[in-house]
Amino acid sequence: MKTSESAENYLETILILSHRLPVVRSIDVANELGFKKSSVSIAMKNLRENEHITVTDAGFIYLTDSGRQIAEMIYERHEFLSNWLIQLGVPEEIATQDACRIEHVISPESFAAIKKMKSPLRCEAPTAD
């Protein structure tokens, strides 16, 4: 099942917050992303309906197995691509922004090929024969 970029961003944010906070609530997601609570509530409803999250009666948000799988995939791509672009000489702020765009559209095959490279800066100097 294909998820939208927006859903992937919300799931990634929930994952990141779950590492920093004892529990994650909609207000935490809204504050992290700088969105209105009403917008986040609609997104949480959609994620719940698609069975990517569960929400307790107390309002605590938990990733389901499918939600965690998507969130971890997007987070891994984001971290790897950000670091890779920085190693290539891209300024950190631009690298982070670009990684945030690329992480949603890159194919699994292309991402695997990039990860497989030993060094993104690998260059061969011409040999004198």
Side-chain angles (χ1 to χ4, degrees):
M1 176 177 150
K2 178 76 175 124
T3 55
S4 70
E5 180 177 334
S6 175
E8 290 173 350
N9 280 333
Y10 278 109
L11 293 168
E12 181 184 24
T13 300
I14 293 166
L15 177 70
I16 291 166
L17 289 172
S18 72
H19 293 295
R20 289 198 322 234
L21 303 171
V23 292
V24 178
R25 301 165 298 145
S26 288
I27 191 67
D28 301 318
V29 176
N31 290 338
E32 183 74 12
L33 295 173
F35 295 166
K36 292 181 182 175
K37 189 170 182 320
S38 58
S39 299
V40 173
S41 293
I42 293 168
M44 294 304 109
K45 178 180 182 269
N46 292 334
L47 291 174
R48 195 171 54 249
E49 287 174 353
N50 287 313
E51 299 181 353
H52 295 312
I53 63 167
T54 58
V55 182
T56 68
D57 290 340
F60 303 151
I61 301 168
Y62 297 97
L63 295 168
T64 62
D65 288 342
S66 68
R68 179 168 301 283
Q69 182 179 10
I70 294 165
E72 288 176 348
M73 174 194 66
I74 294 300
Y75 183 71
E76 176 192 19
R77 288 178 177 189
H78 180 85
E79 289 295 299
F80 184 91
L81 293 167
S82 293
N83 291 329
W84 185 61
L85 290 169
I86 290 166
Q87 287 178 4
L88 291 172
V90 177
E92 184 174 351
E93 185 175 335
I94 294 171
T96 300
Q97 291 170 358
D98 286 348
C100 200
R101 289 185 203 93
I102 296 167
E103 68 195 26
H104 301 286
V105 296
I106 193 169
S107 70
E109 296 82 5
S110 292
F111 183 65
I114 292 169
K115 277 180 44 177
K116 193 173 166 181
M117 291 176 58
K118 296 225 185 303
S119 169
L121 302 177
R122 184 174 53 195
C123 294
E124 304 244 347
T127 57
D129 286 334

